[in-house]
Every structure is written in C-alpha cells, then in structure tokens.
Amino acid sequence: MKAVFMLEHGNVDVLQYGNVPEPEIDEDEIKIRVKACGINRLDIFTRAGKRGVKVNFDGPHILGGDVAGDVVEIGKSVENFKIGQRVVVNPRLVCSKCKDCLTGNDESCMRYRMLGTSINGGYAEYTKTHKNNVFEIPDSLSYEGAAALPTVYVPCWNMFKRRAQLKSSETVLIASASSGVGSAAIQFAKFAVGATVIATTSNEFKAQRAKDVGADFVINYNEETIANKVMEVTEGRGADVIFDHVGTDFWNQAIPVLAPRGRYGICGVTSGYKADLQMGTLFMRNQSIFGIHMGKRNDLSEIIRLVGDGVIKPVIHNTFDLESVQLAHDEMDKNEFFGKLIINVP
Ligand SMILES: [Zn+2]
C-alpha cells in the first residue's frame, strides 16, 4: 500500500512517501481503508522525537491517529461492524485490564498506546485498530470532518462536561483560538454548553475567525493584556473555567483571572510545563486546578452525535494529499492557520 513513513526522527525530510506492507489484523481488530487523517501537534513531536515521544523503529513508522475511512476487514471476534461501514477512530488505545479501565475510568489508563505514535497509524491507504476504538459516523459527516474530531474534541467533552461541569451561565477563557483544540473548545463551549466564550489569539485574521466559529470576545494578546480584558468582560469576577492547552506562557496571564470557585483545566503544555502558583489565593477563592489527557474512549460517540445533530461543526483550515504530508507539517510548524489540517487519501 501507499503510505508516508519514517525510519528515523528528524525534520520534515524524514517523511517518505512509498510502498509498505498492508497491516494484518488480530481477531479483535478492524482494518480500515483510510479516507482522511487529521494532523495533530503530537505528530510533529513524534516525527521530531521531542517531548518524550520516541518511536521504537523496528520497521517503517507511520504517523497519524485521527483516522476516518471504510471498514474493509473485521477480526473473528468483532461484532456490530460490517464491511463498507463509514467509521472514525479514537486513537487512544487503553489496556482494558488495569484498575482504572475495569472501573470505567479508562481516561486514566497509564498502559495506553496511541495510534500513530506507539503503533502505526493513518498516513496510509490502510490502518488497523482495536474494535472498541472504532465508531460509526453518520452520512451527514464527511471523512474530512470526522478526521477533524477525535484528538481535539474528546478533551473538550472531558474538560467542559465531566470535569469542569461548565454551565451556560458561566464564562470560559480559552487559550490560543487558532489551534485545532482551541477552535474545537470555542465551538464546544459556545454551542454544546451555551457558555460565554473569551478566546485569545495573536493577530486580526485569527481573531476574526475565532468570532466566526463562536467566540463572544477575542483578545489579541499582542495588543491587549489578557487579564485586563477578562476582568472588563466579566465585570471584575474573572473566568469561571479556563481551558489551557498552552502551558507556562498562558498560565502566567490566566491564573490571576480565575474566578471564585473557578476551575482551571490543563490539557497541553506546548509553551512550557512549569508554573508558579499562589497557593493562598487558591484556597481563599475555593478554586480547582486539574489535568486531563484526552477522555474516556466512548466520549467520541458523544462528539459524533453533536456533530451529526449540527450542534458543532469541525473547523478545517486546509487539506493535503497523502504525498504532500511534508507541506502539511511545514504549515503546522509555521502556526499560520486556523483549525485543523487534514490529509486526504483518495
Ligand atoms: Zn488500562
């Protein structure tokens, strides 16, 4: 099959387009003809071998976790799926055996593997994964739209619905609106919850796009101070929930404007992972700080339902052919996009 693979870590040049053997499935797995694959920041880190993401190169490694496509083969013990079904994959594969998995808290499984990172993924004509990670998609949802969902919307469900329990009467502050997860968080908080959304970004183009996809207020942090604007918009109260996928740079500006009983959620640290905390303020204001990594496996079915009902619409910035994956990685490195970058595999 055609695939984009790598034999070592490095810059975009290590991504090679060529032929590799098709994956073979076990009895509890499903083989998928990939139609679209979302690109995530994790792909860039995995390609570069940074942020603790090292691949065990025992053959060509194929990146890509957010796969949408057609079922082409099913293992002996797989039920409820049929050949030709349109599906999307949750790339976080849990062990199903540890205490967390057995008590319904699979988002905390520490023996998980990621499609495209620890095992071969979807920059290819075919991939395979465990049956429990495959979800049917409605006819109204395109392959591209489906591939834009898992890695960015599952954390939104986990953070806003399960952990922060964001309410429609509350205000949420969202870091870096233009990234895949930032634009997803705006959509989710605004349309799935009905909250007031303040988003931050770096220029006027991105600010306008943030408003287009649902932000009530946008802060251009190159021209305004995040804290001042949040206090102005919330009439001195601060943000009830803060969605941080950026880390140190955002933390320093956002934590001072967390409201009383505010919940500060962290799901990424791209700008740095160390922070100073005023512990006194935390307890005096009854605040909470928490982290999430993706979500429960089945959270993706809730996301598919919301998209199928038209509540939220995936934000796609650009699409690329499989053989042009290097261009897609370059575009993500430049940070001049708004929403998701998607690979098409016709
Ligand atoms: Zn587990």
Side-chain angles (χ1 to χ4, degrees):
M1 67 172 179
K2 293 290 186 213
V4 170
F5 60 90
M6 57 185 207
L7 301 169
E8 58 182 331
H9 292 297
N11 62 24
V12 295
D13 296 336
V14 301
L15 299 171
Q16 303 179 40
Y17 178 73
N19 287 301
V20 298
E22 290 185 21
E24 292 177 14
I25 58 169
D26 292 331
E27 63 176 28
D28 55 2
E29 291 182 321
I30 294 175
K31 182 173 171 181
I32 296 165
R33 171 63 170 87
V34 181
K35 294 288 190 172
C37 185
I39 296 181
N40 290 294
R41 191 70 60 180
L42 179 61
D43 302 8
I44 309 293
F45 294 148
T46 307
R47 188 203 73 217
K50 291 178 178 166
R51 305 275 179 148
V53 193
K54 294 282 185 193
V55 172
N56 242 338
F57 288 103
D58 48 7
H61 182 81
I62 301 170
L63 296 168
D66 288 353
V67 171
D70 296 330
V71 173
V72 290
E73 190 182 345
I74 54 179
K76 287 193 193 79
S77 69
V78 176
E79 296 170 353
N80 306 321
F81 283 96
K82 57 180 190 288
I83 306 299
Q85 214 166 3
R86 299 171 75 249
V87 295
V88 65
V89 173
N90 185 332
R92 192 172 188 274
L93 294 130
V94 296
C95 79
S96 299
K97 290 172 187 160
C98 71
K99 185 179 174 188
D100 292 303
C101 284
L102 293 175
T103 53
N105 299 301
D106 60 83
E107 77 276 25
S108 300
C109 176
M110 284 296 115
R111 286 153 58 182
Y112 72 93
R113 298 173 300 158
M114 288 293 280
L115 190 70
T117 302
S118 28
I119 44 179
N120 277 344
Y123 291 11
E125 287 182 303
Y126 296 93
T127 193
K128 65 163 189 172
T129 194
H130 192 275
K131 61 185 179 183
N132 290 349
N133 282 64
V134 180
F135 297 84
E136 184 175 20
I137 55 174
D139 292 340
S140 59
L141 180 56
S142 68
Y143 294 113
E144 289 175 5
L149 300 179
T151 294
V152 297
Y153 277 100
V154 167
C156 294
W157 181 276
N158 196 8
M159 189 174 300
F160 289 140
K161 286 283 191 183
R162 181 174 295 118
R163 298 295 297 277
Q165 298 182 9
L166 177 65
K167 298 172 189 67
S168 59
S169 59
E170 293 185 313
T171 298
V172 57
L173 172 64
I174 296 169
S176 187
S178 62
S179 66
V181 69
S183 55
I186 292 171
Q187 283 246 309
F188 194 97
K190 181 66 188 174
F191 300 113
V193 178
T196 300
V197 175
I198 309 172
T200 72
T201 194
S202 60
N203 65 42
E204 279 312 304
F205 160 73
K206 292 177 179 178
Q208 187 54 54
R209 290 290 293 128
K211 284 183 183 159
D212 293 343
V213 302
D216 296 290
F217 304 93
V218 182
I219 302 169
N220 177 343
Y221 55 73
N222 287 322
E223 294 185 351
E224 303 175 271
T225 308
I226 291 175
N228 289 350
K229 183 71 177 182
V230 171
M231 294 312 261
E232 180 191 317
V233 167
T234 60
E235 297 175 334
R237 178 177 169 79
D240 300 295
V241 171
I242 296 180
F243 185 102
D244 185 355
H245 57 99
V246 171
T248 307
D249 288 354
F250 184 69
W251 167 277
N252 289 332
Q253 300 179 69
I255 190 71
V257 293
L258 186 61
R261 284 199 318 283
R263 291 86 78 201
Y264 193 110
I266 302 164
C267 64
V269 288
T270 46
S271 76
Y273 56 86
K274 289 194 174 174
D276 286 325
L277 173 64
Q278 285 285 352
M279 296 163 72
T281 306
L282 188 74
F283 82 81
M284 290 294 289
R285 294 187 186 169
N286 297 284
Q287 296 167 330
S288 308
I289 300 168
F290 64 94
I292 57 148
H293 181 228
M294 293 288 283
K296 293 183 195 297
R297 185 162 49 193
N298 289 331
D299 290 350
L300 183 54
S301 58
E302 303 284 354
I303 300 297
I304 294 167
R305 181 179 57 77
L306 286 170
V307 178
D309 291 349
V311 176
I312 51 179
K313 294 183 181 67
V315 182
I316 296 173
H317 179 78
N318 205 355
T319 60
F320 299 84
D321 293 333
L322 181 61
E323 57 262 51
S324 305
V325 165
Q326 289 189 359
L327 296 178
H329 275 224
D330 277 337
E331 181 149 2
M332 182 160 276
D333 273 336
K334 284 185 199 136
N335 274 332
E336 287 303 322
F337 59 93
F338 192 99
K340 293 293 294 179
L341 307 177
I342 305 286
I343 300 167
N344 276 317
V345 189

